[in-house]
Amino acid sequence: MWAEMSFADQTQFTPLVVCELAEDTKEEAVEWLLSRIKEKQRNGGAEFQVSRLLPALSQDDKKENPNIFLVGASWQRLLIGAEDLGLIKEFSDGSMRTFTYANREDFKDFQGDGDGFLSMAECQLIIKHELDTLRAKQETYVPGYPKIKLYPGKSIVRRMHSKGILLQIFPLHDKEELKRLSSTWYQQIRMAFQPLDDIRRYFGESLALYFGFLEYFTLAMLPMAIIGIPYYFFDWENYDNYVVFAICNLIWTTVMLEMWKRFGACLAYSWGTLSRKKAFEEPRPGFHGVLGHNPVTGREEPVYPNAKRHLRIYLVSLPFVLLCLYVSLCVMMVYFDAEGWVLGLHDVEPTFWTGLLLFLPSIVYAVVIEIMNRLYRYAAEFLTDWENHRLESTYQNHLTLKVLVFNFLNCFASLFYIAFVMQDMPLLRQSLATLLITSQILNQFLEAFLPFWLQKRRNKRVQRNESQTALGSKLPFEKQVMLEADMSTYLGTFDDYLELFLLFGYVSLFSCVYPIAALLVVLNNVTEIYSDALKICQVFKRPFSEPAANIGVWQLAFESMSIIAVVTNCALIGMSPQVKSYFPESESQLILLVVAVEHVFLVLKFILAFVIPDIPKHIQIKLARVEFESMEALKKKKMLEAPATPIKGQ
C-alpha cells in the first residue's frame, strides 16, 4: 500500500510516524521509551514496531540527529487500535457503525487481513493516540533524569515532550498519494469542486471540513457578488439605494449558515464522525499542578484549584484584554486625526499627490491592524497557557474568545465609528475597501507565498547538498525524513477560520455601502483554496488527522456575527436619506421603527434557524435506526448473560 523503506533490514516495515528525541538524550531514557513502545499491550505497552533512522553524513560534514525513530504497526494492531479509538466505518448494509475487531468481516471494503481498510491518516492517528496514552507504571522518574518525576498513570510521551527530551512526533508523507492528491486538488486551475473525500483520507476530517467550509463560503458568496457588481457600477454613489442590498445581506447571512450546518452534517456522516462518541478527555500536556486523583477515572494526575484559575482570568487576563482594547481605540483615534489632517491638506491645495495622500492613512492603519492582531495573538496564547486550563477544549475556547473579541474591535471599530458617529458614507466605503484589500494582500503574502518561498529555498539547499538537482529526482528515504523533520509545524486551522470570520464580517456588516466587497472576497477565497492547499501539502509537516463532526466554536462565532449584522444593517437602513425623508419631523419615530424592524428580522432569523433542521431527515432516520438496533442488541446480550431463574416448586 505504501512505499517501503529503502534499507534492507526493514523490508517488511512500513513507517508511519517519526519520533525525534534530543541529540543529547541519555541512552537509558531512549532504551526505556523504545521498550515501552514495543512492549505488549497487556503489559502496558503500545505493541508497535520501531526502528532507528540511521544518521547520514552530509557533504558539509554535519552529522544528523541519531535519535530519530520510525514507528509503525501490524495491521492486526492497527485494527485493534481502531476499535479502541472508536472509529466509525461503513457497515455492509450501508449504515455507519462503530468498528469492532470481532465483526470486522461485516464492514464494507474489509478484505483479506484488512490492508487498505484504514486510511493512512487513520493509521497515523491510531499510533499518535496510543503513544499519547502510554502511561507510567511503577516508575518514579524518567530513566537517566532523576529530576523529571513520574507517577502511575502519567503520560510518558507528554511528560518527555514538556521537558524537552522528546522534540516532536509527526506523521510521514506518502509521496505517491500526495502527488495524486495534489494533481486533482491545486496543481491545475479548473472549474471543479475540491476532492474533499481524498483530502479527508489523507489529512483527516478537521482539515477536510475547513476546506469544505471554505468552498461552501465561496460559492455562497457568489449571489451577493453577482448582485453587487451592477449595484456598484451603477448605483454605488447613490447611498439612498443601499436599503435593498442591506435586506439581501440579512437574508443571505441567515440562510447561508443554516444550510452549511446541513451540508457539514452530510459530510461528517459520510466520514463517520457525526455520531462518533467523544472519548473521555485527557489533561492537556501543558496542564500542571499538585499530584492528586481524578474523581472520574481514579487515576493520579495534576490537580489545580479552580479558584486560583479564576483569579488569574479575572484579575490578570481580563484587565489585560481590556487594556489592549483601549490601546486599539487610541490607535483608531490617531488614524482619524491623520485622516482629518490629510483631508484638510487636500482641501487647501488639491493636487495629484495630495489626492494619492488621501489613501495613505487608511493603508497604514490597515497594516497596523494586522501587526496588532498578530502581536495580540501571541499575548493571548501566553495568557491562556498561564491560566493553566486542564482540557484542550477549554483552552481553545478561552483562546478563541480572547482573539475574537480583540480582532472584532480592532478591525471593525473604525467602521462603526465612521458609520454611526461621523455618519460619513463615502469615508466608510473608502475605509472598508482599503481595509479589505490591504488585509487580503498581507494575508496571502504572510500565510502562503512567504512560507512557500522559504521552503523552496530549503528544498533547493538539500538537493544541492545531495547533488540531486535534476528535474524529477527523488531524495533517498532517509533524507526525505530529515527534510520533513526540518519543515515548520502546521498550527491548525485557527488562523484560517479567523481570516474567514473577518471577511464574513466585512461583507455582512457594511457591504451595502461597498457592494463589490463580496466579489473581492470571492476572488480572495479562490486564491485562498489554492494557496492553502499548496501550503498544507508542500510547506508544512503533515499534520495528524483530527476527527471532527463540525467546525466547532467557529459556527457560533459566525452566527454571532450574523446577529450583529442584523443590527448594523437595520441601523444603516434607518440612516439612509431615503428612509429619513418619510420622517422629516420626528426622529424618535424613526428610531422606534428601526428597532421594531430589527426585532422582526431577528425573530425571522431565529424562526428560520428553527425551521431548517441542522441534520437532514434521511440522516436522522439512519442515526435513529442504528441507535435502536444497538439498544436491541444490548437487551438480547443481557438476556443471554442473565442466569436462568428457577421455576418455583422445582
Side-chain angles (χ1 to χ4, degrees):
M1 180 180 175
W2 307 310
E4 305 295 345
M5 292 171 63
S6 61
F7 31 102
D9 59 337
Q10 298 295 336
T11 54
Q12 301 302 319
F13 180 70
T14 303
L16 295 170
V17 171
V18 175
C19 178
E20 182 179 6
L21 303 175
E23 287 190 47
D24 58 351
T25 303
K26 296 184 179 179
E27 196 60 33
E28 307 98 282
V30 174
E31 292 178 358
W32 171 69
L33 177 62
L34 296 185
S35 66
R36 291 301 308 274
I37 295 176
K38 295 176 182 178
E39 198 171 359
K40 298 290 185 183
Q41 272 191 292
R42 60 176 177 269
N43 298 328
E47 204 169 336
F48 290 152
Q49 301 163 332
V50 186
S51 176
R52 187 189 296 266
L53 184 72
L54 299 178
L57 199 64
S58 60
Q59 290 186 357
D60 57 1
D61 295 332
K62 180 183 176 182
K63 192 175 182 181
E64 306 288 0
N65 185 356
N67 291 325
I68 298 180
F69 299 91
L70 303 161
V71 183
S74 65
W75 271 109
Q76 182 182 16
R77 176 67 186 91
L78 290 171
L79 293 172
I80 293 173
E83 179 177 349
D84 295 338
L85 198 58
L87 293 185
I88 293 180
K89 307 292 285 185
E90 188 174 0
F91 208 62
S92 54
D93 62 359
S95 62
M96 305 298 292
R97 300 173 185 262
T98 304
F99 176 78
T100 56
Y101 184 76
N103 298 327
R104 59 190 182 278
E105 301 288 348
D106 296 327
F107 284 84
K108 187 180 178 181
D109 298 329
F110 189 94
Q111 298 175 354
D113 60 357
D115 186 2
F117 179 68
L118 300 174
S119 69
M120 189 177 185
E122 289 171 333
C123 295
Q124 291 166 333
L125 175 63
I126 291 167
I127 290 180
K128 180 181 183 294
H129 172 75
E130 297 292 347
L131 291 179
D132 283 343
T133 53
L134 273 180
R135 301 186 179 280
K137 295 185 287 188
Q138 302 304 319
E139 300 93 343
T140 57
Y141 61 89
V142 175
Y145 299 89
K147 293 184 179 180
I148 302 181
K149 303 297 182 183
L150 291 173
Y151 47 85
K154 177 66 178 176
S155 172
I156 294 171
V157 168
R158 293 179 181 182
R159 184 65 167 170
M160 296 179 73
H161 187 271
S162 64
K163 294 300 180 181
I165 301 174
L166 177 62
L167 299 182
Q168 60 179 341
I169 296 178
F170 65 91
L172 277 171
H173 274 296
D174 179 346
K175 303 306 290 184
E176 292 301 321
E177 190 172 344
L178 181 62
K179 185 177 179 181
R180 287 194 296 270
L181 175 62
S182 300
S183 65
T184 59
W185 191 7
Y186 68 88
Q187 286 185 344
Q188 298 179 8
I189 299 178
R190 51 189 174 184
M191 298 295 293
F193 293 111
Q194 295 179 96
L196 294 180
D197 288 330
D198 294 336
I199 297 170
R200 174 253 170 182
R201 283 188 62 84
Y202 194 81
F203 288 112
E205 291 80 15
S206 180
L207 263 173
L209 275 173
Y210 162 70
F211 282 103
F213 179 75
L214 175 56
E215 180 178 80
Y216 174 87
F217 181 40
T218 306
L219 293 174
M221 196 78 68
L222 283 175
M224 296 300 295
I226 293 172
I227 295 172
I229 292 173
Y231 207 94
Y232 174 81
F233 285 107
F234 297 106
D235 281 331
W236 65 274
E237 288 287 3
N238 186 354
Y239 294 101
D240 291 348
N241 294 332
Y242 64 63
V243 175
V244 175
F245 200 87
I247 294 173
C248 292
N249 246 344
L250 297 179
I251 299 172
W252 169 76
T253 54
T254 300
V255 174
M256 170 231 173
L257 292 175
E258 291 303 316
M259 296 307 294
W260 158 253
K261 284 193 283 190
R262 292 172 60 85
F263 180 67
C266 292
L267 289 177
Y269 177 79
S270 66
W271 297 338
T273 55
L274 184 62
S275 58
R276 185 170 180 264
K277 298 293 186 293
K278 190 174 181 180
F280 179 78
E281 199 167 355
E282 299 286 344
R284 50 185 293 269
F287 177 65
H288 58 84
V290 179
L291 185 62
H293 285 85
N294 187 301
V296 178
T297 63
R299 300 194 195 111
E300 287 186 295
E301 66 176 44
V303 176
Y304 191 79
N306 283 330
K308 191 173 180 180
R309 182 181 299 111
H310 290 154
L311 285 175
R312 291 187 173 191
I313 292 173
Y314 295 115
L315 297 183
V316 179
S317 296
L318 181 59
F320 177 80
V321 172
L322 293 177
L323 176 62
C324 291
L325 296 179
Y326 174 74
V327 171
S328 175
L329 291 176
C330 290
V331 172
M332 180 188 75
M333 298 313 297
V334 171
Y335 155 67
F336 284 124
D337 288 341
E339 190 78 43
W341 178 78
V342 170
L343 284 171
L345 187 66
H346 182 69
D347 290 339
V348 172
E349 189 178 351
T351 64
F352 172 77
W353 298 108
T354 57
L356 289 179
L357 196 62
L358 290 174
F359 295 93
L360 185 61
S362 296
I363 294 174
V364 172
Y365 183 54
V367 174
V368 170
I369 283 177
E370 289 298 319
I371 294 173
M372 290 175 64
N373 284 343
R374 293 180 183 277
L375 291 177
Y376 177 81
R377 170 68 186 276
Y378 295 124
E381 288 180 348
F382 174 81
L383 278 177
T384 313
D385 277 327
W386 181 69
E387 289 166 5
N388 196 26
H389 296 281
R390 178 182 176 273
L391 302 179
E392 184 65 29
S393 58
T394 310
Y395 172 88
Q396 290 296 334
N397 289 340
H398 279 262
L399 176 62
T400 303
L401 180 62
K402 289 186 184 72
V403 173
L404 285 184
V405 168
F406 180 81
N407 276 261
F408 181 84
L409 185 73
N410 200 32
C411 294
F412 300 115
S414 62
L415 300 178
F416 278 100
Y417 187 85
I418 294 170
F420 303 118
V421 178
M422 299 175 64
Q423 298 188 13
D424 188 341
M425 295 305 160
L427 181 58
L428 176 62
R429 175 178 57 82
Q430 177 190 322
S431 298
L432 176 61
T434 305
L435 287 173
L436 185 58
I437 295 172
T438 306
S439 64
Q440 289 178 349
I441 293 173
L442 288 175
N443 282 325
Q444 289 291 339
F445 177 76
L446 294 174
E447 294 183 11
F449 297 111
L450 181 61
F452 180 68
W453 178 73
L454 293 174
Q455 185 61 32
K456 289 288 285 185
R457 286 191 61 189
R458 187 184 303 135
N459 291 356
K460 287 181 179 179
R461 186 170 62 252
V462 171
Q463 288 183 341
R464 189 163 54 247
N465 289 339
E466 296 299 319
S467 301
Q468 302 230 354
T469 54
L471 185 64
S473 61
K474 293 184 179 180
L475 288 173
F477 178 81
E478 296 88 342
K479 287 298 177 184
Q480 182 61 43
V481 172
M482 298 304 301
L483 178 63
E484 291 185 32
D486 192 41
M487 287 180 173
S488 301
T489 301
Y490 181 65
L491 299 178
T493 56
F494 186 96
D495 289 323
D496 298 314
Y497 276 120
L498 179 60
E499 182 183 349
L500 294 182
F501 172 78
L502 295 177
L503 292 176
F504 178 74
Y506 285 129
V507 173
S508 62
L509 295 178
F510 299 107
S511 67
C512 61
V513 298
Y514 187 57
I516 206 171
L519 176 63
L520 295 178
V521 172
V522 168
L523 296 176
N524 174 82
N525 287 1
V526 170
T527 60
E528 188 80 13
I529 289 173
Y530 287 96
S531 63
D532 282 355
L534 182 146
K535 176 177 66 176
I536 204 72
C537 290
Q538 301 293 336
V539 177
F540 294 107
K541 290 187 187 74
R542 181 179 185 175
F544 278 105
S545 167
E546 293 183 21
N550 47 54
I551 62 175
V553 69
W554 292 104
Q555 181 73 36
L556 178 61
F558 278 89
E559 289 176 353
S560 300
M561 181 68 83
S562 70
I563 293 174
I564 299 173
V566 172
V567 179
T568 303
N569 282 275
C570 286
L572 288 172
I573 291 172
M575 289 170 53
S576 69
Q578 184 180 17
V579 174
K580 283 184 176 181
S581 63
Y582 292 104
F583 302 89
E585 298 179 355
S586 178
E587 187 175 344
S588 59
Q589 289 184 357
L590 174 61
I591 295 174
L592 289 175
L593 178 63
V594 169
V595 172
V597 171
E598 169 203 308
H599 280 65
V600 169
F601 273 116
L602 287 174
V603 169
L604 289 174
K605 178 180 177 61
F606 290 122
I607 290 175
L608 275 175
F610 178 77
V611 170
I612 302 175
D614 293 349
I615 302 176
K617 186 69 175 178
H618 69 281
I619 292 181
Q620 292 182 27
I621 293 173
K622 290 180 180 179
L623 293 174
R625 184 184 298 128
V626 171
E627 186 176 355
F628 173 76
E629 291 175 359
S630 299
M631 291 175 61
E632 290 297 308
L634 184 60
K635 288 180 184 178
K636 292 180 181 178
K637 183 178 179 181
K638 287 183 176 179
M639 291 177 61
L640 293 174
E641 292 177 350
T645 305
I647 301 175
K648 191 174 181 179
Q650 287 187 352

